[in-house]
Amino acid sequence: MSDNQVDPSGNTEAFRAFTGTGPEAETPSKIPYVIGGLVAVVVIVLVVILLVR
């Protein structure tokens, strides 16, 4: 009996098509991390200023 299912790990191109990832896949945005980092820096600076007073 033949196996009708194709093994997507047979080659890289077929596997990327199967998983939906590849060179054209979008990377997640880093903007939330940048904004969060800036907010954290501002909070730390404000706490240091309040403690030094």
Side-chain angles (χ1 to χ4, degrees), residues 28-52:
S29 177
K30 294 182 181 179
I31 292 175
Y33 296 113
V34 172
I35 293 173
L38 290 174
V39 169
V41 168
V42 169
V43 168
I44 291 171
V45 168
L46 289 175
V47 168
V48 169
I49 290 173
L50 288 174
L51 291 176
V52 171

Side-chain angles (χ1 to χ4, degrees), residues 4 11 17 19 36:
N4 291 335
N11 63 31
T19 60

